[in-house]
Amino acid sequence: MGARRFILLGPPGAGKGTQSARLIEALGVPQISTGDLLRAARKAGTELGKQAQAYMDAGQLVPDALVLSLVEERLAREDARTGYILDGFPRNIAQAEALASRGIAVERVVNVVVDSSALLGRLTGRRVCQQCGATYHIQTAPTSREGVCDACGGVVSQRKDDDAAVIANRLEVYHRETSPLIEYYDRRGLLRSVDGLQTADVVFDAVLAALEN
Ligand code: ADP
Ligand code: AMP
């Protein structure tokens, strides 16, 4: 079988990361999250990470050239040969065009639909393990011990950009820059939408069904 390439689309807080973590196991392909790659670059103190910092802290998109160079490097790695789940990329039409111009055909784009009113609570309540990246929520998916990751025992904390003022910018950027991708992929016959307001288990079943249909 050929490589299986998928895109998870949706606003910040829709549950893309949560679903990707499950899909890695189910599909046996890696998740490629540009948000994770950018945070790793910042942590490592690379030049690219330093250049991305101000944009991320303000909830703006990092310039396409920086993101595309990270993606290029990641897609060239061995584990991406059998396919991948793109999470948080592409984030605008130019990034989608860059992907297409490399001759990369995606099999399916799943749009996780969550209305804006639910996103603020999702994002302000999100907590992330600093060590393994596992994602929690203070109400809907809490850790067993406060501040300690169930999976690896690492420290669980809040992302700096999960702050109300920055979230407002991120949602605005989503509507302006990213939501046009819904129509872009729909016109190409690749889009399926799932209701992201259901429990994570139910959403997962819907995502799997969408990938196969
Ligand atoms: P994204 O990657 O799209 O930004 P996340 O997967 O990080 O979103 O999810 C955002 C927050 O919402 C996290 O705290 C997560 O635990 C929570 N969450 C994810 N899916 C659901 C769901 N189906 N129902 C309730 N909360 C969810
Ligand atoms: P995320 O982890 O997907 O919520 O992304 C966190 C932040 O990283 C965003 O608010 C942007 O500043 C930046 N980012 C992530 N992915 C992209 C992308 N594909 N293009 C531009 N900026 C991105």
Side-chain angles (χ1 to χ4, degrees):
M1 194 161 62
R4 307 203 68 188
R5 306 186 192 93
F6 306 106
I7 295 172
L8 282 188
L9 202 61
K16 302 179 299 295
T18 300
Q19 297 303 326
S20 296
R22 296 163 177 237
L23 289 169
I24 292 169
E25 303 245 326
L27 303 174
V29 295
Q31 166 203 23
I32 298 181
S33 154
T34 42
D36 287 349
L37 292 174
L38 287 163
R39 281 183 289 275
R42 284 180 64 166
K43 209 169 175 181
T46 67
E47 191 51 42
L48 190 152
K50 285 180 192 147
Q51 289 174 28
Q53 193 161 327
Y55 298 98
M56 296 173 77
D57 289 345
Q60 302 298 327
L61 293 188
V62 171
D64 292 342
L66 297 181
V67 173
L68 288 168
S69 74
L70 267 184
V71 169
E72 192 79 38
E73 198 180 297
R74 181 64 187 85
L75 295 186
R77 274 169 49 184
E78 179 66 25
D79 68 342
R81 280 182 47 178
T82 53
Y84 37 80
I85 305 148
L86 293 173
D87 164 5
F89 178 90
R91 207 69 155 230
N92 57 27
I93 300 280
Q95 293 180 9
E97 292 286 350
L99 194 63
S101 72
R102 279 186 89 250
I104 292 175
V106 293
E107 193 176 316
R108 179 72 64 227
V109 179
V110 179
N111 180 29
V112 184
V113 182
V114 173
D115 58 76
S116 301
S117 61
L119 295 172
L120 183 64
R122 289 256 186 116
L123 292 169
T124 53
R126 172 161 64 185
R127 299 292 183 271
V128 182
C129 176
Q130 295 310 301
Q131 196 161 290
C132 74
T135 299
Y136 298 91
H137 189 279
I138 52 172
Q139 272 127 21
T140 59
T143 51
S144 313
R145 279 179 56 207
E146 201 182 323
V148 181
C149 180
D150 290 353
C152 76
V155 175
V156 171
S157 63
Q158 189 165 24
R159 260 169 60 173
K160 198 176 169 189
D161 60 347
D162 280 346
D163 146 273
V166 183
I167 289 169
N169 282 341
R170 290 160 66 204
L171 295 180
E172 206 256 320
V173 166
Y174 167 78
H175 287 295
R176 195 179 60 238
E177 306 255 356
T178 310
S179 68
L181 290 172
I182 297 171
E183 195 195 326
Y184 177 91
Y185 285 117
D186 193 31
R187 267 198 265 120
R188 284 158 181 75
L190 294 172
L191 193 86
R192 299 289 182 273
S193 289
V194 305
D195 175 6
L197 281 174
Q198 310 168 94
T199 65
D201 286 345
V202 175
V203 176
F204 181 60
D205 289 341
V207 170
L208 275 185
L211 293 181
E212 301 303 339
N213 289 291

